[in-house]
Amino acid sequence: MRPVHFAVLTVCCVLALAAPAGAASIPVDVRVEGAAGKSLAADRYLTDTTTIGTAQRPPNCNGSGATKSLSGPTALGALVDGERVDRRLDPLLVSDEFSFGLIVCGIGGDESTGSSFWLYKVNHVSPEVGADQFTVKRGDDVLWFFSSDLNTGNELELRAPARVATGDEFVVQVNQYDFQGTRTPAAGVTVAGGGASAVTDATGAARLTLNRQGNRTLRATLDPNIPSAPTKVCVNEDLSKCSPARGGRIWGSRRGERIAGTAGPDRIRAGGGNDRILVRRGWRDVVRCGRGRDVVRAGARDRVASDCEVVRIRGRR
C-alpha cells in the first residue's frame, strides 16, 4: 500500500519572526493537479516568509479564521504566494481545526471530503513532514494533487523536445515516480495533444507527429496515476522560428524581488514592490511589472509593458 501523507502544518505556539535582513524570495516551480484530471497550474512562483488566514467553511474545513505565519520558503508558502497572484488557485482553503496543525482542504474550488484530500510532493518525493516544515530551495519542484478516485497512483513525467518540424515524427519519453521518488519507465500511457495521440511502449517511449504549426500542448495520462504536467511543443516548418528551450510563466509576489527569465520564451508578471527583472539572456519574453518602481533589463526582441518604470534594452544607452 502506498504511503499517504497529509499536507499538514505544525503550528508553533508563537508567530514566526520576520525574515532576517537580506533574505530574498526564491523561485519555486509549483504544479497543482485538481479533480477529474484538471491541471490548475504549472508555473514558477517567487516565495519567502508569508501568512495564511484559516478558513471557516464546514463541514470539511473548520478553521478558526485566525491568521498563521509560515517562516521562510516552504512547500506550503510557495502555494500561498502563488494563490495571491494567480486566480486559478483561488480559493486556497487551510484549516487549523486539528491540534497537530494546519491542513490544506481546498485549492481552486476542489475541496476535501471524507474520502478525498490534498497531498504534496517535492522533487517527486512524498515528504514525511508537513508542508510548512519542508524548506524548499531555489528551483525545487512542488506538486500538489487532489487524491480521490483519481490521482492515487504514481506521478507521470513527460519528456518531449521543445521544438519539432511540422509533419516530422518525433519521440517522447514518459517516466513514473512512486511516492519514494523512484523513477521507472511508464508503459501503456496515452500521450495526446495537438491533434496527435500515441501509447507508450515497454520502455516508456512513444512516437508522435504534429501537423499544425504553433504551440501545441501534450499531456501523458493513465488512470489512476497523476497526469504529467502540460508540456508545450513549438511546431514550425522553420525550426529557427521556435526557441530551442522551453519557457514558462513566472510570477512575482507582493515583495520587491529579483526575477530572472529562463533560456526559453517566458511570460513574467511581477507583483508589488520594487522589482529587478532580467530577461536579456532568453528568447522572446513578455514582461509586465505591476506596482512599485521596477527596473527591467531586456533584449531587443522582448516585449516590456508600459507599467515598467525603468527599461534598459541591450545595446541602447
Side-chain angles (χ1 to χ4, degrees):
M1 181 181 295
R2 65 180 181 85
V4 175
H5 308 302
F6 287 91
V8 298
L9 171 66
T10 301
V11 180
C12 296
C13 58
V14 294
L15 293 180
L17 298 177
S25 300
I26 64 169
V28 175
D29 293 326
V30 178
R31 182 157 71 97
V32 182
E33 291 294 330
K38 177 175 58 178
S39 177
L40 297 178
D43 294 348
R44 178 168 295 178
Y45 304 97
L46 274 83
T47 188
D48 198 0
T49 294
T50 190
T51 60
I52 180 68
T54 55
Q56 297 173 299
R57 187 174 296 192
N60 298 307
C61 201
N62 297 306
S64 66
T67 298
K68 305 295 180 180
S69 178
L70 310 177
S71 180
T74 62
L76 181 57
L79 179 65
V80 171
D81 280 330
E83 185 266 344
R84 286 185 174 150
V85 295
D86 190 347
R87 293 181 179 178
R88 297 171 299 173
L89 303 180
D90 184 56
L92 173 59
L93 306 178
V94 173
S95 174
D96 59 353
E97 176 184 7
F98 303 104
S99 60
F100 53 77
L102 301 179
I103 60 169
V104 173
C105 48
I107 306 175
D110 291 336
E111 299 185 19
S112 300
T113 66
S115 58
S116 59
F117 36 84
W118 283 95
L119 305 175
Y120 84 105
K121 299 178 76 176
V122 178
N123 298 330
H124 311 298
V125 177
S126 182
E128 297 289 344
V129 298
D132 76 313
Q133 300 172 46
F134 196 103
T135 299
V136 290
K137 305 181 298 297
R138 180 182 299 271
D140 275 351
D141 291 299
V142 179
L143 168 65
W144 287 88
F145 58 102
F146 190 66
S147 180
S148 55
D149 54 330
L150 297 176
N151 295 346
T152 59
N154 292 330
E155 170 194 355
L156 298 180
E157 174 194 56
L158 173 62
R159 297 185 178 183
R163 59 183 182 178
V164 297
T166 308
D168 283 1
E169 186 179 74
F170 61 97
V171 178
V172 299
Q173 175 69 34
V174 180
N175 298 316
Q176 58 186 342
Y177 293 87
D178 63 19
F179 276 69
Q180 288 73 44
T182 302
R183 185 183 73 185
T184 55
V189 176
T190 299
V191 180
S197 180
V199 177
T200 59
D201 60 20
T203 69
R207 298 179 179 273
L208 294 94
T209 302
L210 296 172
N211 296 310
R212 293 182 297 160
Q213 291 191 164
N215 288 316
R216 305 302 170 197
T217 301
L218 303 179
R219 205 151 194 239
T221 58
L222 177 63
D223 293 341
N225 298 298
I226 304 166
S228 72
T231 303
K232 288 187 177 181
V233 177
C234 181
V235 185
N236 202 291
E237 294 179 355
D238 182 359
L239 287 183
S240 69
K241 294 182 178 179
C242 293
S243 169
R246 187 173 289 111
R249 281 181 291 200
I250 304 173
W251 302 75
S253 70
R254 298 177 181 179
R255 314 171 185 87
E257 296 163 322
R258 293 182 180 272
I259 304 174
T262 71
D266 298 313
R267 286 174 289 168
I268 295 176
R269 186 167 184 172
N274 301 328
D275 298 305
R276 300 292 182 268
I277 303 166
L278 178 62
V279 291
R280 284 185 176 175
R281 297 180 180 178
W283 193 249
R284 300 182 183 96
D285 303 305
V286 178
V287 179
R288 295 178 61 185
C289 288
R291 297 180 181 179
R293 181 172 176 78
D294 306 302
V295 177
V296 181
R297 297 181 181 271
R301 298 181 300 177
D302 298 322
R303 293 171 51 194
V304 181
S306 60
D307 62 355
C308 300
E309 286 74 20
V310 180
V311 181
R312 296 171 180 167
I313 304 296
R314 177 189 293 153
R316 299 182 189 176
R317 293 185 178 181

